[in-house]
Each structure stands twice: as structure tokens, then as C-alpha cells.
Amino acid sequence: KQEVTQIPAALSVPEGENLVLNCSFTDSAIYNLQWFRQDPGKGLTSLLLIQSSQREQTSGRLNASLDKSSGRSTLYIAASQPGDSATYLCAVSPRPKAQKLVFGQGTRLTINP
Amino acid sequence: GAVVSQHPSWVICKSGTSVKIECRSLDFQATTMFWYRQFPKQSLMLMATSNEGSKATYEQGVEKDKFLINHASLTLSTLTVTSAHPEDSSFYICSARDLREGPISSNQPQHFGDGTRLSIL
């Protein structure tokens, strides 16, 4: 059974710092891995999707990496801003049932001005 | 981009009431929609897969008679929490896949609604 773990559960850093969020999964048989942002009381906003054949994806100040063999992904946020404060979730799309996303518990990020 | 709308965004009702939540794909068609449940400070758990024109597929441990799902058109799925009790209070989120983005097994993302917060008194 696929399990996804995110560490740390919460993180608080000063504005301007670069930071890394971690995600690990137990079964390397995945189609892709996705990072989402969730604001309090809101739904999910997709940030980055990495296909299983890819090593990383970049969007603006965000960079996500994937090491499928070791079951790990990181989300790197450069030059953090208060507006980055949110909960970040990673989810894998497992083989063979791609649509059954398996989510981690999330990392609650606070960027202090 | 693909937009998924959920309604209502927040509902408070008495124990024993049945509550219906709607999930609509606004600018695309979706043969498959997904319903998730999220408890405070916990992850999303898939409850069921809603299939247009056929019965929903429920995950293990999810009561079919408790959580009724109807997917009558390519743009609308509904989740009805029947005879709701305080333990059903949670955040319910739906997602949908755009038909144009390929078959269900392809590497394409799901598009999520903004969720519905259900509070049962």
C-alpha cells in the first residue's frame, strides 16, 4: 500500500529565506508526483507536476525534484514571501490506478515578515 | 484553465439532516470526478470515484448508503451525506479530469474545487 509522508509538519521561517519541503513515498511505481498549495479553508492549487520519467520541474521561484528510486521529492522555494504562507501537499499518482491520488499530510508553512 | 466549482462552500445543519454538495466542471467535460474528505490538519482521503452514467466506486471503509453519489451529466456530480451526524463534520473536496487531457490512465492532473466545509451540530 502506497504511503506518502511529509516532513516537517510545520515550518516557520523569516521572509527572504530559501527553504526546502520534503516528501517521501513507499512505492516507486508511480505515474507522477504533484505538489499542491492549500490556503486555510480552501481547495487545492496545483503548483508542479513531475512525470515519473522526469527529475525536476520549475515554475518561477519553485523547483520540485523527484528521485523515484529512493522514493523522495523536494519542493524548493526561493526568496520566500509572506504570501507563500500556506499548507503544501504532495501527492503521488500510483500505478496502475493513476486516478487514485495518495496524499501526504502536508507541511504548514509560515513566512514571517 | 479548467475550473471546478463546488457549492455550497460552507454548510451548518442539525444532526439527522441530509446535505447535498455539488461539484461542477465549468469549462470542460468530465466523465470522472473524485470526492475527497479532509479532517483538520490531516491529509485528503479519497472517498469515491464518480462515473458519469454509472455507479460510483467507493473506497474501502466508505459507506455507500451514507454518502450517495450521483453523476448525471458530464459537468455535474453530487455528494449527499444522508442522516448526517457530528462525526461527518469535515471538509469535502471534489476534483475532476478534463476529457480532452486524455484517458484516465494518462499523466494528467486532476482539477480541484474549493471544497465544502460541513459542520453538523
Side-chain angles (χ1 to χ4, degrees):
Chain A
K1 178 185 175 184
Q2 178 73 267
E3 293 183 358
V4 180
T5 304
Q6 289 185 249
I7 295 173
L11 180 65
S12 180
V13 301
E15 179 179 2
E17 282 200 7
N18 303 325
L19 57 98
V20 174
L21 307 181
N22 297 292
C23 173
S24 62
F25 47 97
T26 55
D27 190 339
S28 61
I30 63 171
Y31 282 105
N32 58 54
L33 182 144
Q34 228 170 329
W35 283 92
F36 294 90
R37 170 185 173 137
Q38 184 177 30
D39 292 294
K42 297 293 185 181
L44 305 183
T45 300
S46 180
L47 299 174
L48 290 165
L49 182 148
I50 311 176
Q51 309 285 8
S52 61
S53 59
Q54 296 176 324
R55 289 289 187 123
E56 65 178 343
Q57 281 286 333
T58 298
S59 176
R61 294 182 293 108
L62 305 179
N63 176 277
S65 69
L66 174 64
D67 184 343
K68 197 174 65 168
S69 60
S70 67
R72 294 180 182 177
S73 175
T74 61
L75 179 66
Y76 175 83
I77 302 178
S80 58
Q81 303 170 358
D84 295 331
S85 298
T87 295
Y88 290 81
L89 296 163
C90 72
V92 298
S93 178
R95 292 180 181 272
K97 296 185 176 181
Q99 69 273 20
K100 293 194 173 186
L101 296 182
V102 179
F103 284 83
Q105 296 93 333
T107 295
R108 191 168 63 257
L109 176 65
T110 303
I111 307 299
N112 302 305
Chain B
V3 178
V4 175
S5 173
Q6 263 186 259
H7 178 81
S9 56
W10 197 312
V11 58
I12 303 173
C13 58
K14 294 181 180 179
S15 184
T17 307
S18 290
V19 179
K20 180 184 284 188
I21 303 170
E22 293 185 347
C23 179
R24 293 182 184 273
S25 55
L26 297 186
D27 51 359
F28 67 98
Q29 293 182 328
T31 55
T32 304
M33 292 185 175
F34 307 91
W35 288 96
Y36 295 85
R37 181 173 182 174
Q38 185 180 33
F39 289 106
K41 296 185 179 181
Q42 293 190 27
S43 187
L44 278 75
M45 298 296 293
L46 179 65
M47 297 175 64
T49 302
S50 173
N51 304 299
E52 187 268 337
S54 65
K55 292 182 179 180
T57 304
Y58 290 82
E59 295 301 301
Q60 190 174 6
V62 178
E63 299 178 56
K64 300 178 182 181
D65 296 332
K66 178 73 171 177
F67 299 99
L68 300 179
I69 292 173
N70 183 276
H71 194 154
S73 77
L74 288 173
T75 60
L76 173 64
S77 174
T78 60
L79 169 68
T80 300
V81 183
T82 61
S83 187
H85 292 284
E87 58 267 28
D88 298 323
S89 298
S90 188
F91 192 57
Y92 293 86
I93 307 178
C94 72
S95 70
R97 292 187 72 257
D98 189 338
L99 275 179
R100 298 168 297 182
E101 291 175 342
I104 196 68
S105 61
S106 66
N107 280 326
Q108 297 301 332
Q110 297 175 19
H111 306 284
F112 285 81
D114 275 346
T116 297
R117 183 159 303 285
L118 175 62
S119 296
I120 308 298
L121 304 177

